[in-house]
Amino acid sequence: MLALRLARGSHPLVLLRRLSVTAAAAGTGFLLLSTVGHAAGHPSAADESLVRLLWCAAPLAATAQFAVSTARTDPAARLQRGMTAAGLGPLRLTLLATASTALTCFLGVLLSLLVFFRLRGDLGRPSSLGIDADLLGAGHPVPLVGALMLLATVPLTAAAATAVSLRPRDEAGSPETGTRPRTAPPSGLPWGIALAAAGLAIEAYTSRGAHAAGGLLPLPGRLVGSPPGVLAGWALSAFGLVLAGPGLVHLCGRLLCAGRPGALRLLSGRVLQEESHRLGRPLGVLCAVGSAAYAAVKVYEASPSRPFGPLTAVGAAVVLACVTASALTAALESRSARAHTTAALRRLGASASVLHRAAALRFLALVLVLAPLTWTVAEMATLPLVH
């Protein structure tokens, strides 16, 4: 009840972020239901139904990440003056954020259930939105209990991720305060680069198998029968980018501060180094997803006979929207965390144009470092797929 009251009294921007999480949960829930419908309508194609279900892991993980990012920036989840006296300590605030996330995602999966039954024609005349009703198993009974259990993974995963991410910690990592122990971000950089290089090496090694099989077939429907090393190497490279994200952001800050920097470069570099923990992982995930999207487009271009299907488009839209929104939310969280520092700089005489130029310089440094790396990983990953 308290979560509902806080949601009603939230700022419109906070409500918009929660509605975005609801939309992401609805898209993920619809994809999960489509796998159930496909299995019900095509009982002989169990392998293809399993592949479709496995590909739902990507939008599920993206939705959970976006839900966590939204919960972290929610003012209702922050310890404010008077909350402890009212019995809302750090632990109860974490439980409140977890309940709010679960409720938001529950509304999304409920909406997806209604849309799924409407498109199948179970609630009257079928309504076409560009999705073939045969893909949803129209005319075949759907196991309702199994579908509900599968849908429950969306709010449960998002709530569990929120609880783990926002659990109170002290400086040693035990639950008492909200501070988080930090390690040096360059420590993850060599491991991330090593994993990305290992993934590319695996793809290169298995490329001969891809050539022998005629290349990877369009995803996700014809993944079965393709060399598993290609996909494994691709996933390993993407995980390397995510792991190296904080180190890469910290490296951008060090490059800006190299030599004899002026006030603008020094300010921009110090901010990137300080915020590398907060910005690194979301940007690493965004780079990994961008690399995967580029590779997927190249694969589909190599096989024009199999264009993008509507369910593939829904999954890609959910993943891209979630990771982009997570990165923007992390940037907003970073800006809020620097509010006192920004106010102090303004009192010392720093103009608004200087702060805007510093932000533009940080953005340019991140693009110049991350964009070529993402393109290189994506281009090398597509070599065994389309050649």
Side-chain angles (χ1 to χ4, degrees), residues 94-109:
T94 301
L95 295 178
L96 179 63
T98 302
S100 178
T101 299
L103 178 61
T104 302
C105 293
F106 173 76
L107 294 177
V109 297

Side-chain angles (χ1 to χ4, degrees), residues 25-100:
T28 303
F30 182 80
L31 292 174
L32 291 172
L33 289 173
S34 69
T35 63
V36 177
H38 183 273
H42 305 82
S44 60
D47 291 340
E48 185 176 355
S49 298
L50 179 60
V51 169
R52 291 173 180 268
L53 181 61
L54 292 178
W55 275 101
C56 291
L60 178 62
T63 300
Q65 184 207 15
F66 183 34
V68 170
S69 301
T70 302
R72 288 175 59 88
T73 57
D74 196 333
R78 299 175 186 172
L79 186 62
Q80 300 177 6
R81 184 178 302 175
M83 284 188 171
T84 304
L88 291 176
L91 180 58
R92 290 197 174 184
L93 284 179
T94 301
L95 295 178
L96 179 63
T98 302
S100 178

Side-chain angles (χ1 to χ4, degrees), residues 108-133:
V109 297
L110 182 61
L111 177 62
S112 69
L113 187 64
L114 295 176
V115 172
F116 175 73
F117 284 143
R118 183 71 177 88
L119 293 178
R120 277 172 46 92
D122 295 334
L123 300 180
R125 185 178 179 181
S127 176
S128 176
L129 294 177
I131 299 179
D132 188 2

Side-chain angles (χ1 to χ4, degrees), residues 95-270:
L95 295 178
L96 179 63
T98 302
S100 178
T101 299
L103 178 61
T104 302
C105 293
F106 173 76
L107 294 177
V109 297
L110 182 61
L111 177 62
S112 69
L113 187 64
L114 295 176
V115 172
F116 175 73
F117 284 143
R118 183 71 177 88
L119 293 178
R120 277 172 46 92
D122 295 334
L123 300 180
R125 185 178 179 181
S127 176
S128 176
L129 294 177
I131 299 179
D132 188 2
D134 183 63
L135 294 176
L136 307 179
H140 299 274
V142 173
L144 185 58
V145 176
L148 293 178
M149 292 181 61
L150 195 59
L151 279 181
T153 59
V154 179
L156 289 178
T157 302
T162 301
V164 172
S165 178
L166 299 185
R167 70 184 188 276
R169 307 179 180 96
D170 61 5
E171 295 183 355
S174 61
E176 284 296 335
T177 66
T179 58
R180 175 177 298 183
R182 291 188 175 183
T183 57
S187 62
L189 184 59
W191 286 105
I193 297 299
L195 287 177
L200 294 176
I202 292 175
E203 291 184 12
Y205 181 77
T206 56
S207 61
R208 296 181 181 179
H211 291 310
L216 254 188
L217 303 174
L219 304 177
R222 296 163 66 184
L223 180 63
V224 177
S226 61
V230 176
L231 183 59
W234 191 0
L236 193 61
S237 300
F239 181 72
L241 285 177
V242 176
L243 184 62
L248 290 173
V249 175
H250 194 272
L251 177 62
C252 291
R254 292 181 64 89
L255 291 177
L256 284 176
C257 295
R260 295 182 177 179
L264 191 63
R265 285 175 52 198
L266 185 62
L267 176 61
S268 301
R270 291 299 186 186

